[in-house]
Amino acid sequence: MARLYSFFRSGTSHRLRIALNLKGLPTEILPVNLRKGEHKAETYLALNPQGLVPAYESDDNGTLTQSPAIIEYLEERYPEPPLLPQSLGDRARVRAMAAAIGCDIHPINNMRILGALRQQFGADEKAITVWTNTWIHAGFKALETMLPEGVGQGAFACGDRPGLVECYLIPQVYSARRFEVDLSAYPKITALDATCAEREAFQAAHPDAQPDAV
Ligand SMILES: N[C@@H](CCC(=O)N[C@@H](CS)C(=O)NCC(=O)O)C(=O)O
């Protein structure tokens, strides 16, 4: 069975868990405790030299890193059910929404970045909150426009089932709530989040449902 090195609260691990569940791929979850620095241990660095979760031990193609690369791998290796739509234009639009989160929101709010802001630049918790809220609002404001009308009311970001956008968005909404971001200006995002929350694939991927949840 494939194995996913995951931290329950990590947004990138969370997005992988959703993708695996949507594709119905049984995977053993191996917790890596970021708070204890387990991602910096030699044994973990041998799997992912970047010292970041997730890492994915595939059945037949070795250990893979970087959640976007792993999700693309899963899509190519296990095409059914697809996470990407059929049309070329829709595929690009869906990838753009995923990248708005995966490239432009998540990385700059990551644990090591916030740690550097605190330790090297003297940021206090108030400044950290301003920082995280600034980038989440910037991304969510654009995403709210990019998402189609009617989303969340039986419709997903692209079509009638969840796919790549939902893999990225739902963990980012979870993270936004942890950072106490006011989501009231984003009715499409919150409706989509509520719709996904009703589905087993998302419930099983939720941080609270993980073996290392505290
Ligand atoms: N681009 C990478 C980012 C991975 C990443 O940043 N993971 C975070 C958890 S969400 C992590 O391991 N953080 C540890 C740290 O910041 O020290 C991916 O998508 O896999």
Side-chain angles (χ1 to χ4, degrees), residues 12 15 66-69 94-110 113 135 139 143 168 172:
T12 50
R15 76 174 67 132
Q66 281 288 346
S67 63
V94 156
R95 285 183 167 120
M97 285 189 261
I101 297 163
C103 302
D104 298 332
I105 302 178
H106 173 274
I108 45 180
N109 288 340
N110 198 4
I113 305 301
W135 304 118
L143 278 162
Y168 280 75
Q172 190 59 62

Side-chain angles (χ1 to χ4, degrees), residues 167-181:
C167 292
Y168 280 75
L169 182 62
I170 284 12
Q172 190 59 62
V173 171
Y174 172 84
S175 166
R177 292 204 171 104
R178 276 189 58 227
F179 288 130
E180 298 181 358
V181 174

